[in-house]
């Protein structure tokens, strides 16, 4: 009887003018995979050093950012929610092997069908940013106290930490700390959309591969980069610094991986 | 011919009618982590309190958990290294026990135990601490005139052989989860706004918490690691104590000694600063005797070791700023916690 009902629903959908772009009442899994890069090189914390601008070198300890309201856009135009919030955290990517695997987030019960894009907010969406770590159970992406500014009632959307060798002498003596979060007069949340044709099939897992280029975040060009000789930290109090980081993370750094 | 012995009656008298216990804590502390297989009960907590303060857990019945975790010192012991039953020094400073129910990230300085239940297993058999064996402790508890009834009341067992280390550490963990501190001046002034801060407290707070500051550089930035209501982010970090050429050269590998990740060598738990005034000396090896020494260390900016936390950076610290910071740090002291009758030795 249940099988017959399922059959009739399928026919009903087809009879009502549905197209092959419509999502169907079957479900698969979607895996969102982020691989980190620094330019053409895999992004590896602590173990790897990278050439930087103006004769400087750089090494990273931490790169993380929140993504919110993650949706797939079906070819029919319908939005399907993958997740409410994730922390894309490269802190434990400390080898090239780990870098090649990247960071994965899996979502089940995703309607089968054809999708054309993914959209997500970079940062913590307004509704979620009104809450605090104490509001969430252990393990939730927003439960970690270290990613929250209690004095400002805001999550820290993005963190970049590491060390710079300012003159190429091999000594990474300059510590780098860039923490970007919303302040009352500094709205920083923005939604991005990336085109990608993704087919989700019943009981199958489909991978949506993304790349994040940290070089694009802090050094989009040789004339426009964070000059660590001038600035080595920011906590969303120098507009030229946090604007560069936020704009480039949102507009240039995240791409569909080919 | 030897006369056969009558069978020993191992049945435990008494009743099993546990009373559920609700942990009372402000919402801002978050959700307590209480395992499904070890819910809090009044009987379990009381049994745990007795075990915590009872030297029966040590090989010569001279030391209890409280020997190194004194309530008056926020359940630490004010020694650089604790002294075990044989007079030997431990390897690390005894950690304070405060708001443990909210810790999501392992226990001990190196986070080697995932739960309070697992943590409580270790000191009994550590030859530098209580130096007993669990087999022996179980024997002592089973033949004790009082404990079998208390184990029954807490866990519903019927026979003395059912008294095991697993139940003992469950009870201790229950007691430890009740050790909630949330009534310091910090709570009253800065979290509950029950009074205005003094000028020195406010100046100290602005030095401690980075985020409201418009200062671009040269800020102590304590809140990078000790932020939020718990005054810790529960992470493990290299806070710049030791200057080593290679990460393998740390005398104490800390977190890296647990997970074998060289990049975690020399990293230790960021402890909560609640009651920090009472828990000297400081750091995993108790190297600093005063809060002023701690502040001087952080102002010096570390040594630049590869995995040293990037937030450890030099900052100027005037005597006035140091005074203000110490005044603020002392607002974390909660005497209603250290003197809470429910947390004291029941044998006194």
């Amino acid at each position: 009887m249940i099988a017959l009902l399922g059959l009739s629903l399928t026919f009903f959908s087809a009879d009502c003018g549905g197209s092959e772009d419509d999502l169907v009442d079957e479900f698969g899994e979607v895996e969102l995979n982020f691989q980190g890069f620094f330019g053409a090189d895999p992004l590896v914390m602590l173990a790897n050093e990278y050439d930087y601008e103006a004769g400087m070198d750089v090494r990273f300890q931490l790169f993380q950012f929140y993504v919110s309201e993650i949706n797939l856009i079906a070819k029919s135009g319908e939005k399907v929610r993958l997740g409410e919030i994730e922390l894309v955290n490269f802190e434990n990517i400390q080898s090239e092997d780990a870098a090649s695997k990247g960071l994965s987030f899996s979502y089940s019960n995703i309607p089968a069908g054809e999708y054309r894009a993914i959209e997500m907010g970079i940062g913590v969406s307004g509704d979620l940013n009104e809450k605090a770590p104490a509001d969430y159970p252990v393990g939730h992406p927003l439960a970690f106290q270290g990613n929250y500014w209690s004095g400002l009632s805001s999550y820290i959307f993005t963190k970049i930490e590491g060390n710079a060798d300012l003159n190429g002498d091999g000594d990474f003596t300059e510590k780098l700390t860039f923490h970007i979060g919303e302040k009352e007069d500094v709205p920083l949340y923005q939604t991005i959309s990336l085109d990608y044709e993704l087919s989700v099939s019943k009981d199958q897992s489909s991978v949506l591969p993304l790349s994040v280029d940290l070089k694009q975040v802090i050094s989009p060009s040789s004339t426009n980069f964070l000059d660590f000789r001038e600035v080595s930290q920011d906590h969303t109090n120098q507009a030229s610094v946090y604007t560069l980081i936020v704009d480039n993370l949102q507009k240039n750094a995240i791409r569909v991986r080919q | 011919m030897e006369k056969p012995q009558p069978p020993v009656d191992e049945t435990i008298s008494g009743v099993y009618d546990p009373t559920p216990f609700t942990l009372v804590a402000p919402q801002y502390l978050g959700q307590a982590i209480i395992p499904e297989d070890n819910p809090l009960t009044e009987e379990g907590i009381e049994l745990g309190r007795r075990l915590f303060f009872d030297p029966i857990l040590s090989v010569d019945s001279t030391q209890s958990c409280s020997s190194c975790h004194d309530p008056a010192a926020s359940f630490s012991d004010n020694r650089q290294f604790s002294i075990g039953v044989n007079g030997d020094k431990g390897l690390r400073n005894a950690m304070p026990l405060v708001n443990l129910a909210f810790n999501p990230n392992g226990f001990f300085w190196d986070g080697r135990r995932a739960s309070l239940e697992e943590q409580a297993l270790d000191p009994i058999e550590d030859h530098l601490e209580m130096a007993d064996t669990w087999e022996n402790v179980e024997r002592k508890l089973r033949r004790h005139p009082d404990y079998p009834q208390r184990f029954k009341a807490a866990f519903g067992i019927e026979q003395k052989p059912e008294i095991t280390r697993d139940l003992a550490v469950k009870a201790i963990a229950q007691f430890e989860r009740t050790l909630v501190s949330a009534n310091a001046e910090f709570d009253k002034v800065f979290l509950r706004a029950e009074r205005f801060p003094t000028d020195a407290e406010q100046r100290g707070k602005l030095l401690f918490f980075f985020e409201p500051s418009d200062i671009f550089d040269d800020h102590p930035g304590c809140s990078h690691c000790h932020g939020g209501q718990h005054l810790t982010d529960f992470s493990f970090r290299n806070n710049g104590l030791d200057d080593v050429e290679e990460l393998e050269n740390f005398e104490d590998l800390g977190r890296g000694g647990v997970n074998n990740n060289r990049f975690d060598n020399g990293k230790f738990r960021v402890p909560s600063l609640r009651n920090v005034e009472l828990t000297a000396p400081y750091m995993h090896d108790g190297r600093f005797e005063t809060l002023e020494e701690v502040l001087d260390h952080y102002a010096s900016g570390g040594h630049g070791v590869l995995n040293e936390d990037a937030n450890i950076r030099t900052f100027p610290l005037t005597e006035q700023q140091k005074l203000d910071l110490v005044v603020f740090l002392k607002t974390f002291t909660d005497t209603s916690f250290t003197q809470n009758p429910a947390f004291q030795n029941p044998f006194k």
Side-chain angles (χ1 to χ4, degrees), chain B residues 324-346:
Chain B
D324 292 340
L325 265 170
V326 170
V327 166
F328 181 65
L329 292 172
K330 289 181 177 178
T331 69
F332 303 158
T333 303
D334 180 0
T335 53
S336 73
F337 170 75
T338 59
Q339 297 170 10
N340 187 335
F343 303 159
Q344 308 304 315
N345 188 341

Side-chain angles (χ1 to χ4, degrees), chain A residues 91, chain B residues 105-112 233-238 255 264 267-270 309:
Chain A
E91 182 175 19
Chain B
N105 200 23
F107 295 90
F108 289 117
W109 282 103
D110 55 15
R112 67 182 180 273
D233 64 2
F234 301 107
S235 64
F236 301 92
R237 297 177 189 247
N238 173 358
R255 184 69 181 153
D264 283 344
K267 290 187 180 181
F268 293 89
R269 149 93 56 225
V270 174
D309 196 277

Side-chain angles (χ1 to χ4, degrees), chain A residues 46-47 61 94 134-138 144-146 149-152 161-162 175-177 179 183 232-233 235 237-238, chain B residues 27-28 30-31 33 104 210-211 213 215-217 224 227-229 233 261 263 301 306 308-313:
Chain A
L46 287 161
Q61 293 187 19
Q94 296 174 345
D135 296 322
Y136 295 98
V138 170
F144 182 50
Q145 186 65 56
W149 283 329
S150 53
L152 293 173
E161 296 179 3
K175 290 174 177 170
L176 311 173
T177 317
H179 294 176
K183 297 186 175 180
S232 64
Q233 64 172 320
H235 297 81
N237 41 26
Q238 300 168 88
Chain B
Q27 191 277 338
Y28 57 70
Q31 299 175 26
I33 303 164
F210 200 107
E211 58 264 29
S213 172
I215 302 167
F216 293 167
D217 294 307
H224 282 306
Q229 289 77 0
D233 64 2
N261 178 355
F263 294 119
L306 190 153
E308 190 172 283
D309 196 277
N311 296 293
I312 302 292
R313 39 171 80 223

Side-chain angles (χ1 to χ4, degrees), chain B residues 26 28 182-197:
Chain B
Y28 57 70
N183 202 30
E185 290 303 298
F186 172 67
D187 296 272
K188 296 175 189 172
V189 177
F190 297 105
L191 299 179
R192 300 203 290 263
E194 293 174 10
R195 71 163 171 83
F196 290 109

